[in-house]
Amino acid sequence: MLLPKNIHMETQLKISLKLFAVYQETFGSAELNLKFPPQTSVGEVLEWAIAQHPQLAKWRDITRFGVNLQFVEADTLLADGDEVVLIPPVSGG
């Protein structure tokens, strides 16, 4: 599991981060299992992803969020075991 820096192991939330489109291409994976401190918002997960791959910053303002199959706002706090989805705009034809 990937761990953000300076986090105490005993107080972490475990989440599953599902990646689509540009996020999946950038990370080279469809899913990441991560740990974050309590009171982490879904927006902070996006900021973590951008910190890992700064080229994703251009998608910051147009990415939508899902938690446990529900669309949510960036300030939604996560709970242990949540499934988080970063949803960039996609096009197809």
Side-chain angles (χ1 to χ4, degrees), residues 5-50:
K5 295 180 182 179
N6 301 323
I7 297 176
H8 299 288
M9 295 296 286
E10 308 82 42
T11 60
Q12 292 184 343
L13 304 173
K14 295 176 186 175
I15 67 160
S16 172
L17 178 61
K18 305 285 186 176
L19 302 169
F20 296 97
V22 68
Y23 292 108
Q24 188 176 100
E25 293 167 15
T26 300
F27 278 93
S29 178
E31 181 175 348
L32 301 173
N33 293 306
L34 303 170
K35 294 181 182 180
F36 287 93
Q39 303 298 308
T40 294
S41 71
V42 69
E44 289 172 308
V45 173
L46 174 59
E47 293 304 319
W48 173 86
I50 292 170

Side-chain angles (χ1 to χ4, degrees), residues 59-81:
W59 303 104
R60 176 185 283 120
D61 295 335
I62 52 177
T63 294
R64 294 192 67 193
F65 306 99
V67 175
N68 301 328
L69 302 177
Q70 298 289 320
F71 285 110
V72 299
E73 296 299 320
D75 62 353
T76 300
L77 296 179
L78 298 173
D80 191 47

